[in-house]
């Protein structure tokens, strides 16, 4: 399969996987819903590969990443960490990457994971967005 | 079973404060449907949102462990997708706290590795668990693992008491029944 970076990536949500709406052309990447697929490595493997291919292009655009996940299991957590690592690499190489991290105002687990991402991936412009309350 | 016996059975389930129980084959679809059922039940039980989230998360981790690692499998052991494996999972209330239990057979030779993974968690503080979680998040996926090696740490993080576990050799087979209990 050839990877065409200009192609947008859309995967509709299922009962246990999030909606993936990566509009590479518009430089906006969105993940929304719940994430506990049977095989997180396979589910996110292709998404990460496509994102890396997109980020390998010239850093002439800001990238906005919206993550509004209400639950993710342990193996998804690991893969999300790898996705943010890829985005951080691009940010270190000069692309401005804004990460909007949406979470329920009283969801400590997702808040803490966001803080973890903020610490680990310092090149990302991290914005914590508490929802509800 | 006649209706009277069924009434007795249902009454004893209620008396034991069993919120959810399933024994059978675990597939991703089954886990997802059960997760919906568990969520619905907890939402209507006036459980605090943070407790609901912890129960839900522990439930998914324990159920997916069965999908991934039970050796009572209808699908080839090496298969990574669309797995169908047997086990049981239960949610109940004891002393005003929720607990989750799961059981599935494992190969006798996996017992030591599981014990080495679980035993240290029992004496770790919450800070220790969070530290180990952060370290594991940064390591490569362990060989033979279908997850991230984070599953038990995730359950331990959400539990209010040390994880309990037990291995019970199954007579006449080379498998061992593996039990886990998490009190939230």
């Amino acid at each position: 399969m050839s990877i065409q970076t200009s192609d947008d990536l859309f995967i509709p949500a299922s009962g246990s996987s999030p909606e993936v709406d990566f509009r590479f052309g518009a430089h906006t990447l969105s993940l929304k819903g719940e994430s506990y697929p049977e095989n997180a490595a396979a589910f996110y493997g292709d998404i990460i590969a496509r994102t890396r291919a997109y980020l390998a292009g010239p850093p002439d655009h800001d990238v906005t990443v919206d993550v509004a996940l209400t639950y993710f299991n342990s193996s998804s957590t690991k893969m999300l960490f790898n996705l943010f690592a890829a985005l951080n690499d691009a940010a270190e190489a000069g692309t401005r990457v804004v990460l909007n991290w949406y979470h329920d105002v009283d969801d400590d687990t997702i808040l803490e994971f966001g803080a973890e991402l903020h610490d680990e991936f310092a090149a990302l412009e991290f914005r914590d967005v508490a929802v509800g309350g | 079973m006649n209706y009277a016996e069924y009434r007795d059975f249902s009454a004893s389930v209620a008396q034991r404060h069993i919120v959810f129980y399933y024994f059978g084959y675990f597939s991703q679809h089954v886990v997802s449907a059960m997760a919906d059922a568990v969520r619905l039940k907890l939402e209507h039980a006036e459980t605090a949102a943070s407790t609901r989230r912890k129960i839900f998360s522990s439930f998914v981790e324990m159920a997916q462990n069965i999908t991934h690692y039970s050796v009572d499998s209808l699908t080839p052991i090496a298969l990574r997708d669309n797995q169908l494996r047997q086990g049981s999972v239960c949610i109940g209330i004891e002393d005003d706290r929720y607990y989750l239990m799961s059981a599935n057979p494992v190969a006798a030779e996996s017992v030591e590795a599981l014990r080495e993974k679980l035993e240290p968690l029992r004496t770790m503080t919450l800070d220790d668990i969070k530290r180990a979680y952060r370290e594991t998040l940064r390591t490569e996926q362990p060989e033979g693992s279908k997850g991230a090696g984070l599953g038990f740490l995730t359950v331990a993080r959400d539990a209010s008491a040390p994880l309990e576990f037990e291995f019970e050799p199954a007579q006449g087979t080379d498998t061992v029944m593996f039990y886990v209990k998490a009190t939230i």
Side-chain angles (χ1 to χ4, degrees):
Chain A
M1 192 186 79
S2 69
I3 292 171
Q4 293 175 295
T5 56
S6 58
D7 280 358
D8 292 343
L9 173 63
F10 182 80
I11 305 170
S14 80
S16 53
S17 62
E19 179 190 282
V20 180
D21 190 3
F22 281 19
R23 300 181 187 184
F24 297 124
H27 310 289
T28 60
L29 317 180
S30 158
L31 280 174
K32 198 160 53 181
E34 292 192 311
S35 182
Y36 58 107
E38 177 176 7
N39 187 343
F43 182 80
Y44 284 101
D46 184 49
I47 295 168
I48 292 171
R50 293 277 300 268
T51 304
R52 278 197 183 279
Y54 156 70
L55 293 169
D60 54 358
H61 290 280
D62 295 356
V63 179
T64 302
V65 187
D66 291 305
V67 180
L69 294 171
T70 51
Y71 167 68
F72 35 93
N73 70 349
S74 60
S75 47
S76 295
T77 307
K78 180 86 171 180
M79 297 310 292
L80 288 168
F81 201 74
N82 296 343
L83 174 66
F84 297 127
L87 290 161
N88 192 65
D89 288 348
E92 283 178 344
T95 302
R96 179 169 174 243
V97 182
V98 176
L99 170 59
N100 295 312
W101 183 255
Y102 294 85
H103 63 89
D104 194 291
V105 67
D106 62 9
D107 192 327
D108 295 339
T109 304
I110 296 185
L111 173 72
E112 279 179 29
F113 185 61
E116 187 75 21
L117 296 173
H118 190 29
D119 283 352
E120 179 73 17
F121 303 121
L124 300 178
E125 206 169 306
F126 184 88
R127 293 180 187 163
D128 185 82
V129 189
V131 181
Chain B
M1 178 147 69
N2 61 34
Y3 296 123
E5 286 167 338
Y6 189 58
R7 266 195 300 278
D8 284 349
F9 173 73
S10 303
S12 105
V13 168
Q15 203 182 357
R16 281 179 172 273
H17 303 289
I18 303 297
V19 175
F20 187 89
Y21 173 75
Y22 173 76
F23 167 69
Y25 285 97
F26 284 61
S27 69
Q28 177 62 21
H29 284 297
V30 170
V31 171
S32 176
M34 287 195 295
D36 282 348
V38 166
R39 172 176 285 146
L40 197 59
K41 193 127 180 182
L42 295 174
E43 276 172 5
H44 290 272
E46 294 182 11
T47 313
S50 65
T51 307
R52 285 205 307 259
R53 275 195 281 270
K54 288 173 181 173
I55 296 166
F56 186 83
S57 168
S58 301
F59 180 82
V60 172
E61 296 297 334
M62 288 166 82
Q64 288 191 319
N65 268 346
I66 295 173
T67 314
H68 290 317
Y69 302 115
S70 169
V71 293
D72 184 353
S73 182
L74 288 181
T75 45
I77 288 292
L79 192 75
R80 185 63 190 79
D81 292 289
N82 302 313
Q83 301 166 99
L84 284 168
R85 295 167 190 254
Q86 189 156 247
S88 69
V89 66
C90 173
I91 303 175
I93 301 170
E94 218 166 44
D95 302 328
D96 294 325
R97 284 197 293 186
Y98 281 92
Y99 66 88
L100 297 97
M101 288 183 92
S102 67
N104 61 272
V106 296
E109 61 264 27
S110 325
V111 169
E112 270 327 293
L114 280 166
R115 200 187 290 282
E116 279 169 23
K117 206 168 183 160
L118 287 162
E119 194 61 52
L121 299 181
R122 291 182 41 78
T123 51
M124 286 163 79
T125 64
L126 182 60
D127 281 344
D128 292 339
I129 289 166
K130 287 185 176 180
R131 197 173 308 118
Y133 183 95
R134 285 197 294 270
E135 281 166 15
T136 308
L137 194 57
R138 287 164 176 75
T139 58
E140 288 300 309
Q141 183 157 321
E143 189 137 343
S145 174
K146 294 173 183 173
L150 287 169
F152 287 128
L153 280 167
T154 299
V155 179
R157 189 187 59 188
D158 287 336
S160 64
L163 294 186
E164 296 168 53
F165 62 94
E166 190 169 298
F167 296 102
E168 183 188 57
Q171 293 295 319
T173 73
D174 54 0
T175 67
V176 173
M177 195 57 88
F178 170 43
Y179 297 92
V180 183
K181 182 175 183 183
T183 300
I184 304 301

